[in-house]
Amino acid sequence: MLIPSAFEQHDPTLQRALIAAYPVATLVVALPELDIHHIPMVLDGDRLIGHVARANAIASIQGPIDTTSVFAAPPAYVTPSWYAQKPIDSKVVPTTNYASVHVRGQLTLVDDERTHQILTRLTEHFEAGRDQPWAITDAPADYITRMLNGVRGFHIDISDIQAKWKLSQNRPPQDQRQVKAGLGEHPLAQWMLT
């Protein structure tokens, strides 16, 4: 990923916050052709965890395999009308702002017991904050066993994280403030540094 210095994001707290806020990653694997999936994942220490359907080509890999997982906030169109330069000489063009985190690592499939643990952890993560969170133990055990037969859990041991916050940092501070104001309630506005 090309990351001009103005858009580099090295803060692990912000990187992890974006992953937590937008947990459906684009998972890229070469099997041997490029295989791309959209998979909910959560951070579990220095790993990502998730699961795939057994019918998924990933479910049949042997041994660890290199992957890249791309997490992204919703992008936003930026109109040149928000820039201070627009009324002066109109030498401005539109762009798109975005924030993304690329996580590289090795994906390893796990056995059925660990798959059950991963599904429990994922459920607890996504149910957190609900008044009456659902738990895997709420469903009949034989039903959960049948469901487990259809999926494979995995973990990705993280080897590298790169993040790009393209949020108008290359523009003058006044433009940055106006872009943030222009975005209003758009979710990307919360990631802007100004």
Side-chain angles (χ1 to χ4, degrees), residues 3-125:
I3 309 177
S5 60
F7 304 139
E8 291 177 345
Q9 179 49 262
H10 296 289
D11 184 338
T13 302
L14 288 175
Q15 294 169 353
R16 288 175 172 269
L18 188 133
I19 291 169
Y22 302 101
V24 177
T26 302
L27 177 66
V28 182
V29 185
L31 293 178
E33 69 276 349
L34 207 55
D35 206 34
I36 302 170
H37 303 275
H38 303 282
I39 310 278
M41 290 186 252
V42 299
L43 284 163
D44 190 37
D46 290 333
R47 291 179 164 176
L48 290 169
I49 57 171
H51 72 282
V52 294
R54 286 191 188 263
N56 188 313
I58 293 171
S60 62
I61 64 170
Q62 300 297 313
I65 189 166
D66 290 334
T67 64
T68 299
S69 303
V70 179
F71 297 86
Y77 173 78
V78 176
T79 175
S81 299
W82 292 337
Y83 297 151
Q85 193 69 27
K86 166 77 168 67
I88 297 168
D89 61 14
S90 293
K91 291 183 180 178
V92 290
V93 295
T95 192
T96 300
N97 278 359
Y98 56 91
S100 65
V101 177
H102 291 197
V103 179
R104 289 193 181 95
Q106 289 206 315
L107 183 146
T108 303
L109 295 167
V110 298
D111 62 25
D112 290 344
E113 177 57 34
R114 182 70 178 121
T115 295
H116 189 277
Q117 293 169 0
I118 285 173
L119 293 175
T120 299
R121 171 80 174 89
L122 291 169
T123 300
E124 290 169 353
H125 173 82

